[in-house]
Amino acid sequence: MGDAEIQGEAPRCVGCGRRVKTLFVQYSPGNIRLMKCDNCKAVADPYIECEFMIILIDLILHKTRAYRHLLFNKLHIGSSLDKGILYQSILVYIVVDAFRISVSEGNTADKNSSRSMLSTIFICSEVLGNSLLGNVVFMAILLLGVRYILKLSFDIMRYREVLLAVIISSYFKLFLLTMMVWEFPSSAIFIVEIFVLSSNVVALRVMTQFPKAHCVGICFVAHAAKHLTERWLLRTP
């Protein structure tokens, strides 16, 4: 077993999830040959030759093959490169969630359009704090569930991989930013959250290879704990 595979840096077959030595062989610029998986005998990663929109559509359709391509072969989760991606992803995740909370509060800003700059800064800080605390609860419940329900061995590297996969799979939250331009009914937020929940389940299954029911339970409890924290403890809608 090579050093890359020991460190979890080897790519994976998107079909069966087994590690492969290489995904393709390049003979010349623009001339490559896709390699087959020794386990399932299929092309290890056909997404290499696909356009981004095709990959995005398959991600939206929750295809595990697309998630394996994104997490293992594109972002190289498990390598030494994912630490910076993790910190950036957490920051973006919290900021977008803060925007969701502010949108959920309704038209408070319209009712108080004459408030001072200091008041605006205070409200923004409060919303950001609510988002931070809610997501701390979410991540804690998620990792506890992975530890005690899925019984994943205690390895800080593995927990970091799981956390990054779940955050990356919450990409549909970025749709909420379109509310800055277009108006949507409040039910759109609920639909986005349901989609994020189901996407998190697929990502967790890809990372842990555990039964779907267990992954659904962990993700549901983590999301429920976050929203209960925002509603009751922080008194946000």
Side-chain angles (χ1 to χ4, degrees), residues 75-90 156-157 160-161 164:
L75 298 178
H76 304 290
I77 285 185
S79 71
S80 57
L81 301 176
D82 66 343
K83 186 179 294 186
I85 297 176
L86 176 62
Y87 297 151
Q88 295 170 19
S89 300
I90 290 177
I156 192 65
M157 193 74 170
R160 193 177 72 184
E161 294 171 9
L164 177 57

Side-chain angles (χ1 to χ4, degrees), residues 56-68:
L56 180 60
I57 290 172
D58 280 359
L59 287 172
I60 293 174
L61 293 176
H62 290 5
K63 292 187 177 180
T64 55
R65 294 164 60 89
Y67 276 82
R68 287 194 183 106

Side-chain angles (χ1 to χ4, degrees), residues 14 19 25 27 33 39 100 210 232:
V14 299
R19 297 193 185 279
V25 175
Y27 298 106
R33 176 192 174 191
N39 180 59
R100 174 187 59 80
F210 279 97
W232 295 343

Side-chain angles (χ1 to χ4, degrees), residues 26-223:
Q26 184 171 3
Y27 298 106
S28 62
N31 182 18
I32 64 173
R33 176 192 174 191
L34 299 182
M35 305 302 292
K36 292 186 177 181
C37 173
D38 293 334
N39 180 59
C40 65
K41 309 303 180 183
V43 173
D45 191 351
Y47 286 107
I48 292 176
E49 294 184 324
C50 293
E51 297 291 337
F52 170 75
M53 287 305 300
I54 296 177
I55 299 174
L56 180 60
I57 290 172
D58 280 359
L59 287 172
I60 293 174
L61 293 176
H62 290 5
K63 292 187 177 180
T64 55
R65 294 164 60 89
Y67 276 82
R68 287 194 183 106
H69 166 78
L70 175 66
L71 297 175
F72 295 123
N73 301 339
K74 194 70 175 178
L75 298 178
H76 304 290
I77 285 185
S79 71
S80 57
L81 301 176
D82 66 343
K83 186 179 294 186
I85 297 176
L86 176 62
Y87 297 151
Q88 295 170 19
S89 300
I90 290 177
L91 178 60
V92 173
Y93 185 87
I94 292 174
V95 170
V96 174
D97 230 30
F99 178 75
R100 174 187 59 80
I101 293 175
S102 66
V103 171
S104 299
E105 289 180 350
N107 297 322
T108 306
D110 296 335
K111 297 176 182 178
N112 302 298
S113 58
S114 60
R115 62 193 177 196
S116 65
M117 179 64 71
L118 183 62
S119 176
T120 301
I121 294 175
F122 174 77
I123 292 175
C124 291
S125 300
E126 183 180 23
V127 171
L128 190 60
N130 291 351
S131 174
L132 178 61
L133 183 55
N135 281 292
V136 166
V137 172
F138 169 74
M139 295 174 190
I141 296 296
L142 178 71
L143 296 181
L144 285 174
V146 169
R147 174 70 179 93
Y148 293 105
I149 298 179
L150 298 185
K151 300 185 184 303
L152 189 68
S153 59
F154 185 78
D155 183 351
I156 192 65
M157 193 74 170
R158 291 285 286 137
Y159 285 96
R160 193 177 72 184
E161 294 171 9
V162 169
L163 184 58
L164 177 57
V166 170
I167 292 176
I168 292 295
S169 66
S170 302
Y171 60 90
F172 209 69
K173 280 182 178 287
L174 296 174
F175 173 80
L176 296 174
L177 298 180
T178 60
M179 292 185 174
M180 299 175 66
V181 181
W182 298 291
E183 291 186 5
F184 292 92
S186 57
S187 59
I189 298 177
F190 176 75
I191 294 173
V192 168
E193 289 300 304
I194 292 297
F195 186 92
V196 169
L197 171 61
S198 60
S199 183
N200 290 164
V201 171
V202 179
L204 188 59
R205 285 189 67 197
V206 167
M207 291 303 302
T208 62
Q209 299 181 1
F210 279 97
K212 183 177 181 179
H214 292 72
C215 296
V216 169
I218 291 173
C219 290
F220 178 81
V221 171
H223 278 276

Side-chain angles (χ1 to χ4, degrees), residues 226-237:
K226 181 178 76 171
H227 287 291
L228 286 176
T229 301
E230 294 173 357
R231 269 185 176 274
W232 295 343
L233 299 183
L234 305 175
R235 297 181 181 180
T236 58

